[in-house]
Amino acid sequence: MEALAVRLSGMDAHAEGAIRVIAFYDTLMRRRVDLPALARASAGLAECVAGLRLHGTGAVVRASPDGRPPSTVPAPASSTARVTLDDEEIGTVWLERTGPPNPLDEVLLDRLAIAAATAVERYGPARTTMADPALVELAISDDSDEAARARALRLLGFTADLPVQVVAVRSHLPLDRIGALLCPARPVKAASLADVGVILAATVDPARIPAGVRAGIGGADGPGRSWQQARTALRFTTARQPVVRYADLGALALLARIPPETVRDNADVAAVARLAGSPEDLETLDAYCATGSLRRAADLLHLHHSSVARRLDQIARSLGIELTEPAGLVRASLALTAWRLLDSARQAP
């Protein structure tokens, strides 16, 4: 390397400067500096504002030559370079030079891009909750090969030895707020895919999901499988049970695999669909199926048990099911769940 430097420096000042820039970034990489330190060092070397952005998180780091965050709004980039990792573009680096580009700017940005990719691979992306939807989709898609999935997870901040669970959510609350509450101390990323929020987390505590959020929670046996489980569990959520773990569904999960046409043609489901025209009756049936007890259903509905008994008698005649019998209660519960799945199938991600 030293002999090469001597030969190049004998050619012209530009070659000597290029070698100095390369050596500068080699030193930074040996010292294992992080992205903010890279931006500060680059700004000082270039004597202008330097910046970098990671596509996966949207994180932007800018530094002025004095090492502080710039006090001015971002100026148009005078020079840019792509940050690539495993042949995939993961970000951009740039300089905001007010005058014409310096002859060494291209070399500087090339080395900054290499150093930034090294830092991302070592430290992972910045700790932000929201992520690039394309990366999240790559991590959970059935069509992704394992190498692409592993690369996407790494760029999202999940190491190879870290379990990943997927949560499918529907809510008016911001996804980043839900993700931060769900997993405050461990890696968590979120993105919106179509009308469904997707949260990837190293651990999931259902009790931390805020009120008003419908959430289906998958297992930790791979993000692809976990996503399938999470969106199935989301279909089983109700106003009374807004959070459902796939593992708790057991055999009920099989209902989600029945073709909608078959479900729609079932007599019990058709009877529940007719009952849905009366929200009061539907709520009463739901409370009774959830509790299996007339008195507990009355408590849930804040009604006298005799009133609930009269409603259930009328509902039983409408459904053609004897609700006081165990078999009848099972039939009604399955029919009510299957009918709800028909509606959720139209909203399924």
Side-chain angles (χ1 to χ4, degrees):
M1 180 68 180
E2 184 177 353
L4 177 61
V6 171
R7 288 198 300 272
L8 289 175
S9 63
M11 295 178 184
D12 54 40
H14 176 78
E16 182 178 0
I19 292 299
R20 291 182 183 275
V21 171
I22 293 171
F24 177 81
Y25 282 99
D26 284 348
T27 300
L28 291 178
M29 286 189 284
R30 283 198 300 272
R31 293 177 179 175
R32 299 174 179 268
V33 300
D34 58 12
L35 295 177
L38 275 176
R40 291 192 298 269
S42 300
L45 181 63
E47 298 183 336
C48 69
V49 173
L52 61 90
R53 180 187 186 278
L54 296 182
H55 299 331
T57 63
V60 175
V61 181
R62 295 172 67 236
S64 56
D66 61 5
R68 299 176 182 177
S71 57
T72 57
V73 297
S78 56
S79 305
T80 63
R82 298 164 61 245
V83 181
T84 60
L85 183 63
D86 295 337
D87 298 322
E88 180 177 348
E89 182 177 340
I90 63 168
T92 307
V93 294
W94 68 88
L95 296 177
E96 299 174 19
R97 194 179 295 284
T98 55
N102 187 289
L104 291 175
D105 284 356
E106 184 178 352
V107 177
L108 186 152
L109 286 175
D110 179 64
R111 302 308 294 182
L112 172 57
I114 294 173
T118 302
V120 168
E121 191 166 29
R122 179 180 297 123
Y123 298 115
R127 290 188 62 84
T128 59
T129 301
M130 297 306 293
D132 182 354
L135 273 182
V136 171
E137 190 168 13
L138 188 62
I140 64 177
S141 174
D142 283 338
D143 298 331
S144 300
D145 59 67
E146 289 309 309
R149 192 191 310 278
R151 181 167 60 248
L153 288 171
R154 185 175 72 243
L155 293 175
L156 289 168
F158 295 94
T159 58
D161 59 338
L162 201 62
V164 178
Q165 282 184 266
V166 182
V167 183
V169 302
R170 283 196 175 95
S171 172
H172 295 298
L173 295 177
L175 268 181
D176 56 346
R177 177 182 168 189
I178 300 172
L181 290 171
L182 188 64
C183 189
R186 304 190 71 186
V188 58
K189 295 294 176 184
S192 293
L193 299 182
D195 64 335
V196 180
V198 183
I199 298 176
L200 282 70
T203 184
V204 175
D205 181 1
R208 299 187 68 91
I209 297 175
V213 175
R214 295 281 187 100
I217 304 173
D221 47 354
R225 182 174 177 82
S226 185
W227 166 236
Q228 297 292 332
Q229 295 174 348
R231 63 182 185 177
T232 296
L234 181 63
R235 295 180 59 193
F236 282 86
T237 60
T238 65
R240 199 179 304 282
Q241 190 177 10
V243 179
V244 174
R245 295 172 66 249
Y246 180 84
D248 294 337
L249 290 174
L252 283 176
L254 296 174
L255 290 176
R257 299 187 181 185
I258 301 175
E261 298 78 11
T262 303
V263 175
R264 197 174 291 110
D265 289 341
N266 181 268
D268 287 352
V269 176
V272 170
R274 291 191 296 271
L275 187 71
S278 171
E280 188 178 82
D281 287 345
L282 192 66
E283 185 181 18
T284 301
L285 179 63
D286 176 49
Y288 182 65
C289 289
T291 61
S293 163
L294 189 152
R295 291 187 178 274
R296 289 203 297 272
D299 290 340
L300 278 180
L301 296 169
H302 305 291
L303 294 172
H304 193 274
H305 64 86
S306 60
S307 299
V308 175
R310 285 194 296 272
R311 284 191 191 178
L312 287 175
D313 185 57
Q314 180 180 342
I315 291 169
R317 288 196 299 270
S318 175
L319 296 178
I321 299 175
E322 182 50 68
L323 296 177
T324 58
E325 297 293 331
L329 180 59
V330 171
R331 278 180 59 186
S333 297
L334 287 176
L336 180 61
T337 301
W339 172 78
R340 284 183 174 138
L341 289 177
L342 280 177
D343 182 62
S344 70
R346 293 192 291 270
Q347 306 175 28

